[in-house]
Amino acid sequence: MAVEESRQVIPELEREENLIAAARHIVMALGSKNSLTNDEKKILADLGSKLSSMNIQSEKEEGKIGREKENDIDKEDEVNEEEEEGVGVIEQRLGLIQEKIMKWEEDQSMIWDLGPEETSEYLNAANDVRILIEKLEGMHLNKEDQEYEFLQRAYSVLQTAMTRLEEEFSNLLIQNRQPFEPEYVSFRSSEEDAVDGNSFVSFGDDSFEESLRRDSVSRATEEHVIDLVHPAVIPDLRCIANLLFASNYAQECSQAYTIVRREALDECLFILEMERLSIEDVLKMEWGTLVSKIKRWIWALKIFVRVYLASERWLSDQIFGEGEPVSQACFVDASKASILQLLNFGEAMSIGPHQPEKLIRILDMYEVLADLMPDINALYSDEVGSSVHFECHEVLNRLGDCVKKTFLEFKNAVDLNPSTTPLVGGGIHPLARYVMNYLRTLTDYSEALNHLLKDQEEEDSISSSPDTSPGTEDDNRSQASPGRFPSMARQFLSFASVLENNLEEKSKLYKETSLQHLFLMNNLHYMAEKVKGSELRIIFGDEWIRKHNWKFQQHAMKYERASWSSILNFLKDEGIHAPGSNSVSKTLLKEKLRSFYLGFEDIYRIQTAWSIPDVQLREDLRISISVKVIQAYRTFVGRNNSHVSDKHIRYTADDLENYLLDFFEGSQKLLQNPIRR
């Protein structure tokens, strides 16, 4: 029965062999054309690959049938007869294969440069020797057998063919590498906005906001797969890889692939200008240089992961098969060094000193890596990529720890920021500007910062109160700081309190009580306006704004009382009447007016040099002073007009009101022809 089935199958195999021979004839005919289009070349390459696969399958079926036949015929006479005939056939077949393979060892040309006819012929020869080896190995030969010598020759021929195919494989990968897309490798960086690392209180609003402006490169970049190798050669690469793997040269094929692609990705980093830097190199850099490096790192990491690594994974899947373990292994081996080189810079930045000016940039780095983690997890999803996956998470955690520590260090630095001399003019202190602008900039990172500060709160809670129920602690915190970002709100409110306490201490450096209150009025008003006019309002809440509006208004009232109460006393009628009489003492009246004028001139000389930077606040305070002082002066002079001559009225009410317009401009002035003392 088995013999009959074999006889039925043999004609089908013969028809299949005839079909393959006809197809090869077509390939040779088309290949002889002087010029072929890219599409024709691709079709020919695909056809050659399919023919090779069909040949492999045909040989397997033929071997299977032969084995079945061998089992069903006479095991003595038939086997001896077939062996005698098979030795000659094997020797002749091996000789033809060896001739085809070895002729290319004399020719240094790359086979795939000569067209589909040559490539198809070589692939078939290489596949034929592989099949012949399988047949010979299946015969379980002894060293004394003549076929054993053929097997050793076949091994040598196969090794020669596989070595040549490795070279062709590498050459195809190198010669058909696509140039990096210009839109992905264009980057312009400026170091002009770098924050000076020597002092964190040396910037005004404009320069600070410019220095901490988030880069456009830190925004999302969509994944975009590009052709890293010309699509026309992918079928050839796949065909060579299949044959190398079928011939037990998987390791050599994988190694050839990873070497070429590793070099390509190294070149990509070079084009992106991501130089190899050790941790020591990074720690030695000036901050201005690091700002530029950080910006480029953020931009390059997004491009590298979402464009080039995604494309690299796609290329590996195209050649070795999507989802195949070898595809993932080759991708990981090719890309591991490059991604770790990028991560090394992130790790170095997380190790450096926790200086306040670095917080924004570290947050930028943390956010971009956190944003890319789903992409990285997908690219390095299985065990072979676990080391890369783990290292990415480790660097992300280190950057997060650096953010938390830098934030707390900044808070401590503000708390301990010393001052030995008062700010001239009592205006807005640079520390207040820096801190409020810093906090406002940090609102761009609310999600990430709230997450990190929540972790910090939990760590602090565990270390300080190990017996406290976590649920109760969270409830208390939530009630204390409602809103979308409770942890961030609590830390920011605490930060603002630290700043206020520091400003209180700085106000005591002024000798004049009135200037102390003016200074606090300016700075508390500045803090309230910064919160009210920005995203900080969501964090601090309206109740905080109302409280601080009331605070700076209280300091405004205390300023007025300290500055003007003494000279307003001169505009009261007490003491100008003679004892026991309703008559006015002109001498006392003149003395009161003179004392008032002297007091006003002194205040004018001193407080024109004081500063209220906010235009509206300055105008409001001038109006308040005018209502109290000018109105009291006008009333006093009007009531006593009949008792004093015009020559003793040195300034009219309108004169004094105009003089008030010179107050708080930060430029000292003197009245013309002041009263001689």
Side-chain angles (χ1 to χ4, degrees), residues 65-75 79 82:
I65 292 169
R67 287 190 296 274
E68 290 175 352
K69 182 177 180 181
E70 207 173 83
N71 292 332
D72 291 318
I73 62 178
D74 186 79
K75 297 199 176 184
V79 167
E82 189 174 275

Side-chain angles (χ1 to χ4, degrees), residues 234-265:
I234 296 298
D236 292 322
L237 291 166
R238 187 164 54 242
C239 186
I240 296 173
N242 288 339
L243 185 51
L244 285 166
F245 273 72
S247 304
N248 296 321
Y249 280 77
Q251 183 176 352
E252 290 80 357
C253 180
S254 301
Q255 187 175 8
Y257 178 85
T258 55
I259 288 173
V260 173
R261 294 313 308 164
R262 188 183 299 139
E263 290 176 354
L265 289 175

Side-chain angles (χ1 to χ4, degrees), residues 344-612:
N344 189 62
F345 180 79
E347 182 178 1
M349 288 304 305
S350 70
I351 292 174
H354 305 129
Q355 296 168 335
E357 63 273 12
K358 295 184 178 181
L359 179 57
I360 300 298
R361 300 303 175 192
I362 300 296
L363 266 170
D364 280 333
M365 296 177 73
Y366 175 86
E367 272 202 343
V368 73
L369 187 53
D371 186 47
L372 289 171
M373 282 311 302
D375 302 83
I376 293 170
N377 292 341
L379 289 168
Y380 300 94
S381 55
D382 56 13
E383 185 176 353
V384 71
S386 60
S387 61
V388 177
H389 177 272
F390 174 79
E391 190 61 32
C392 288
H393 275 281
E394 282 295 295
V395 173
L396 180 67
N397 290 335
R398 291 188 193 111
L399 287 170
D401 289 340
C402 183
V403 167
K404 291 183 285 187
K405 291 175 182 177
T406 303
F407 184 85
L408 295 177
E409 284 290 329
F410 185 22
K411 184 177 175 182
N412 293 335
V414 170
D415 187 27
L416 302 174
N417 178 253
S419 291
T420 56
T421 56
L423 179 70
V424 176
I428 300 167
H429 200 280
L431 180 64
R433 291 187 187 276
Y434 192 94
V435 170
M436 296 310 296
N437 279 291
Y438 213 116
L439 294 181
R440 188 181 70 173
T441 304
L442 288 176
T443 59
D444 283 349
Y445 306 84
S446 295
E447 294 287 351
L449 196 56
N450 189 67
H451 169 71
L452 292 171
L453 293 178
K454 180 181 179 181
D455 288 347
Q456 184 63 44
E457 285 183 340
E458 291 173 353
E459 292 172 10
D460 294 343
S461 175
I462 292 172
S463 62
S464 60
S465 303
D467 298 329
T468 302
S469 168
T472 304
E473 185 72 5
D474 287 343
D475 292 342
N476 293 338
R477 289 173 178 169
S478 179
Q479 292 174 7
S481 304
R484 289 179 56 199
F485 311 109
S487 297
M488 185 174 171
R490 282 187 287 272
Q491 290 294 339
F492 275 32
L493 289 168
S494 174
F495 210 136
S497 296
V498 168
L499 174 61
E500 286 182 51
N501 292 336
N502 188 287
L503 293 171
E504 285 277 359
E505 292 301 313
K506 293 184 188 309
S507 71
K508 296 174 183 177
L509 297 172
Y510 297 105
K511 295 180 180 180
E512 303 91 340
T513 303
S514 55
L515 186 52
Q516 292 178 7
H517 291 300
L518 187 85
F519 172 78
L520 290 172
M521 176 200 72
N522 273 327
N523 284 274
L524 291 174
H525 175 267
Y526 177 81
M527 291 173 66
E529 288 298 301
K530 277 293 178 183
V531 171
K532 185 167 64 176
S534 70
E535 295 81 359
L536 285 172
R537 186 168 197 155
I538 300 172
I539 307 298
F540 281 76
D542 290 341
E543 180 60 32
W544 186 93
I545 296 173
R546 284 191 291 270
K547 180 179 179 181
H548 283 73
N549 282 340
W550 178 84
K551 280 187 175 182
F552 85 75
Q553 289 167 3
Q554 290 296 304
H555 283 293
M557 292 173 56
K558 291 176 180 179
Y559 151 79
E560 290 182 12
R561 190 177 301 119
S563 293
W564 299 97
S565 293
S566 59
I567 68 168
L568 283 174
N569 288 330
F570 295 124
L571 301 180
K572 295 178 180 179
D573 288 341
E574 288 89 347
I576 62 173
H577 297 282
S581 171
N582 289 328
S583 61
V584 174
S585 170
K586 293 182 180 181
T587 301
L588 289 175
L589 185 58
K590 292 175 186 178
E591 188 59 34
K592 275 182 173 286
L593 282 172
R594 176 181 172 82
S595 297
F596 172 80
Y597 294 144
L598 285 171
F600 186 88
E601 288 172 358
D602 282 341
I603 293 174
Y604 180 90
R605 174 178 55 81
I606 294 170
Q607 296 195 15
T608 52
W610 293 0
S611 175
I612 301 180

Side-chain angles (χ1 to χ4, degrees), residues 203-213 433 437 440 526 530:
F203 302 96
D205 289 344
D206 294 339
S207 63
F208 184 91
E209 290 165 16
E210 178 66 21
S211 69
L212 295 182
R213 185 175 297 160
R433 291 187 187 276
N437 279 291
R440 188 181 70 173
Y526 177 81
K530 277 293 178 183

Side-chain angles (χ1 to χ4, degrees), residues 9 38 224 238 282 318 339 343 365 371 418 480 531 599 647:
V9 173
N38 288 334
H224 180 67
R238 187 164 54 242
V282 175
Q318 281 184 298
I339 189 68
L343 291 174
M365 296 177 73
D371 186 47
V531 171
K647 68 178 182 178

